[in-house]
Amino acid sequence: MNQNQTQTKKHRFNIVDFVLIIAVLACVIGIAIRYNLSTSLLRGNDTAVITVKIDGLLTEYSDALLPGDAFYYQTTGNPLGTLLTVETSPAKIRFVNTDGTVTVANYVDRVDVVCTLEVEGYASENGFMIDGTTYIGSGSDILVRSRNIETQMVVLNVEAGS
């Protein structure tokens, strides 16, 4: 056997290896900055109680809102939070009479529902962020689902705790 074939070549560190290591580190740092990983890794989860409203829900569907149910975003399937309380009131309809006056009447088969949900996320200077990336604040419309119902909610209030 030839002596050159039995010896293994040793790899020497060169400038190409250095450039590759720097490029990989830059990618990792870029991803961490983009997805706000520093906040999620350095801080514990914050909790908030959000108050939401469902307008004009059919009365028979209001029984599907059960405290303790988990809610998820319809579009992504990511968890939103847990339902704490449910309050219903008759849904109102407003219409203008021929003389120009506004009349308010109750819908016969619909209710307005005000709920509170406990959510986890991060309280930042930009507001409350669910999963560190999804902003939720007053006036936000969110499409949600639980095991019993799919609906649209409007956020009325966000009370961040710790």
Side-chain angles (χ1 to χ4, degrees), residues 22-58:
I22 295 299
V24 169
L25 286 174
C27 289
V28 169
I29 291 170
I31 290 170
I33 290 171
R34 168 64 178 99
Y35 290 104
N36 226 0
L37 293 178
S38 63
T39 303
S40 62
L41 293 176
L42 297 176
R43 294 181 61 192
N45 281 345
D46 296 328
T47 58
V49 174
I50 62 170
T51 305
V52 295
K53 184 176 184 183
I54 305 169
D55 287 321
L57 184 68
L58 286 170

Side-chain angles (χ1 to χ4, degrees), residues 4-150:
N4 288 341
Q5 291 175 344
T6 60
Q7 290 181 346
T8 59
K9 263 188 158 181
K10 291 186 178 181
H11 180 68
R12 291 180 46 170
F13 189 76
N14 59 33
I15 191 70
V16 174
D17 296 329
F18 178 74
V19 169
L20 285 174
I21 291 171
I22 295 299
V24 169
L25 286 174
C27 289
V28 169
I29 291 170
I31 290 170
I33 290 171
R34 168 64 178 99
Y35 290 104
N36 226 0
L37 293 178
S38 63
T39 303
S40 62
L41 293 176
L42 297 176
R43 294 181 61 192
N45 281 345
D46 296 328
T47 58
V49 174
I50 62 170
T51 305
V52 295
K53 184 176 184 183
I54 305 169
D55 287 321
L57 184 68
L58 286 170
T59 305
E60 61 262 18
Y61 292 137
S62 65
D63 295 335
L65 296 167
L66 302 172
D69 276 356
F71 276 84
Y72 303 89
Y73 285 102
Q74 277 187 26
T75 52
T76 62
N78 293 340
L80 173 64
T82 305
L83 185 65
L84 298 176
T85 63
V86 178
E87 296 177 22
T88 60
S89 62
K92 307 265 189 235
I93 184 171
R94 291 167 182 79
F95 55 92
V96 179
N97 293 326
T98 55
D99 63 354
T101 60
V102 176
T103 303
V104 178
N106 290 339
Y107 272 111
V108 176
D109 60 345
R110 296 196 178 264
V111 292
D112 289 337
V113 182
V114 176
C115 305
T116 57
L117 289 104
E118 182 178 48
V119 297
E120 289 185 1
Y122 303 101
S124 69
E125 62 274 357
N126 298 330
F128 197 81
M129 309 292 271
I130 295 183
D131 295 332
T133 57
T134 306
Y135 171 78
I136 192 165
S138 296
S140 300
D141 283 330
I142 48 177
L143 297 172
V144 297
R145 67 175 171 78
S146 71
R147 75 184 152 144
N148 300 319
I149 192 169
E150 292 183 0

